[in-house]
Structure formats: structure tokens, C-alpha cells
Amino acid sequence: GPQQEAASAPMTVELPADDDDYVFPNRIVIHKILPALLKECRDQKMCLFALPNVLALCTRMTEQQFSQLVLPTIHKHCMVLSDGPNKPNQQPQISPKIPQMVLRHLSILWAKTTLSEQKNFIIPFIVQSLQFHSNSDIQSEAMKRAEEALNSHIIDATAFKNTFLPQIKNVCELTNSEPMRTNAVVCVGKVLSELDAVTIVNHVLPMVENALVKNPRNASAPLLMSCVGVLRRMSVILMENQSGL
């Protein structure tokens, strides 16, 4: 059944080591293989199996080829998140494993898209994933990708502060899952060195304090250790930036 198919579908993309490992030349891939795989991506059941191959082939493409041939299909059929029951005449909901797979391999999309496409497609997809409160796996992947985007300087600190940080704070505030709250604290802890002192004091410090007071008597060891670690790191950064406060 579909559940068995979803369970057996690969979640990671295997990339060839170098050009010598390619069996087919690019011309055959672009004109023969890729269109067939993209067609399968439009099918809810087959997308889980076709998408890893599409993502692997993307590493061989130019930005222009990716933009014209792949991005429209991935954006429409794979970067989709929907909460709640289906409405009449609405397409069936896709498996959450599909957008989760895109998130896990977002580095491929970052590398093959223009700044405009990143602003219009990738960043909104990460934001929607952070807001997808019905699936903690997707939210966790989205937090990892947001942190990586800042630490890799794909986005700057202002973009992170205005776009991703409010959503990560919401995850920490709204979730009933302590592991998710821990993930949110760890996420902001990893980007502290990229943030200015004012942002740390006004946004990160209250978030960590709120995470601690949610259930202070029964807080788990991972949450306590994460909060203490982030608070210690914050104190070091703020001491170094006293003149900026």
C-alpha cells in the first residue's frame, strides 16, 4: 500500500563522486531521463521514489537549466505543506516525507538558484516548514536549514533575525514537545556568534528564559543543558560587546 511504499522510499540522495561515475551524458539526462522523472514527481505515490533521482541529477545542471526545467515542478509538487483535512475538489495531501526530503537536501537548491529564486521560493518554504506545527520532523529540519543558511552566509543576520528567528521563537513557545523546545534552543545557540548584542538581549535571551520556565520542576536534562550552554555562550558574547549595548 502507499504507507509501505512511503516507508521504503529513500530519504537521502546518493551523489556520484565525480564526472567519471556518470553513465549517461548530460544531453541524454536533460532531454530523456529528467522529463520522465519530473512527470513521476507529479504523482503522489511515485514522487517519493523519483525525487531523490531528480535531486541527484540537479548537481549536474547549470542554474539556468535548474530554473527552467526543475524548479517549477519541485516548487509546485514537492515544496508543499498542508494542514487539516482535504477540502472538496482539492488534490490529496502529499506525504510529509516529500517536503522533508527537499529540506534535507536544500543545499542542492541553494547552489542552483539565483538570489531572486531563493527569496521567492526557498526562504518562504523554510518559513512555512517552521510554521508546520503538525509535524515536528519537518520543523526540526527547517531549523537546521535556517541555522546553516546563516552560518554559511547564504543569508545575512538581518534576514535571519527578521524572517527565521520569530518562527523559531514560536516553535519554542507553542510546542508541547520538550525535545522540540530543546531543538529550538540549540538552533539559536548555534547562530549566536552571527547575531548582534541587541538581538541577543531582546530576542534570544527571553526565548531561552521562557523555555526554562515552561516546566521548571520537570525540565529534561537535554533542555536544561542546552539552555545553560546557550546562556553561558551569550554571557561571553555580551561581555565582549559591552560597548555596543
Side-chain angles (χ1 to χ4, degrees):
Q3 288 184 338
Q4 288 179 322
E5 291 173 351
S8 61
M11 284 300 290
T12 56
V13 174
E14 292 193 14
L15 305 177
D18 52 49
D19 288 343
D20 293 336
D21 291 331
Y22 292 129
V23 176
F24 298 105
N26 261 12
R27 177 175 54 83
I28 298 295
V29 168
I30 296 299
H31 296 291
K32 298 292 185 182
I33 300 173
L34 181 64
L37 288 171
L38 289 173
K39 184 177 180 180
E40 297 294 348
C41 284
R42 300 185 185 102
D43 182 285
Q44 303 288 333
K45 295 179 181 178
M46 294 306 299
C47 186
L48 275 171
F49 301 94
L51 182 58
N53 296 294
V54 171
L55 293 171
L57 293 179
C58 288
T59 62
R60 302 174 62 172
M61 298 177 197
T62 64
E63 280 188 10
Q64 186 176 14
Q65 287 172 329
F66 177 82
S67 176
Q68 292 177 351
L69 302 175
V70 178
L71 184 58
T73 296
I74 287 184
H75 179 252
K76 183 177 181 180
H77 296 282
C78 306
M79 298 166 72
V80 181
L81 296 157
S82 56
D83 267 323
N86 289 331
K87 297 177 182 178
N89 302 320
Q90 185 183 25
Q91 283 190 333
Q93 292 182 15
I94 70 168
S95 165
K97 289 181 179 292
I98 295 173
Q100 187 179 346
M101 190 184 299
V102 177
L103 281 168
R104 285 188 176 178
H105 300 95
L106 210 60
S107 59
I108 298 173
L109 274 67
W110 283 122
K112 297 297 178 181
T113 46
T114 64
L115 290 175
S116 174
E117 289 166 343
Q118 292 169 5
K119 181 179 179 182
N120 292 325
F121 299 111
I122 298 182
I123 291 176
F125 174 57
I126 297 175
V127 171
Q128 291 167 13
S129 300
L130 290 169
Q131 296 171 339
F132 199 59
H133 296 286
S134 63
N135 191 302
S136 60
D137 290 336
I138 287 178
Q139 284 186 311
S140 294
E141 287 292 338
M143 284 192 285
K144 292 176 186 176
R145 300 297 86 81
E147 169 260 309
E148 290 169 359
L150 177 55
N151 281 327
S152 301
H153 301 132
I154 296 171
I155 62 170
D156 60 24
T158 301
F160 181 91
K161 180 179 72 173
N162 294 335
T163 308
F164 295 147
L165 186 56
Q167 305 303 331
I168 295 167
K169 287 172 64 179
N170 279 342
V171 171
C172 191
E173 179 68 26
L174 299 176
T175 185
N176 292 319
S177 163
E178 206 159 85
M180 276 299 296
R181 197 169 294 125
T182 304
N183 288 344
V185 171
V186 169
C187 176
V188 295
K190 288 183 176 180
V191 298
L192 285 178
S193 60
E194 298 288 337
L195 301 177
D196 61 87
V198 174
T199 299
I200 291 173
V201 171
N202 291 343
H203 298 283
V204 179
L205 180 58
M207 172 185 156
V208 176
E209 289 176 337
N210 289 337
L212 280 171
V213 301
K214 277 282 185 180
N215 194 8
R217 292 186 178 180
N218 298 309
S220 66
L223 178 61
L224 288 172
M225 291 171 64
S226 299
C227 289
V228 170
V230 171
L231 290 170
R232 287 181 62 183
R233 178 75 179 125
M234 266 191 266
S235 67
V236 172
I237 292 174
L238 294 176
M239 288 291 289
E240 293 172 351
N241 292 277
Q242 275 184 330
S243 59
L245 289 174

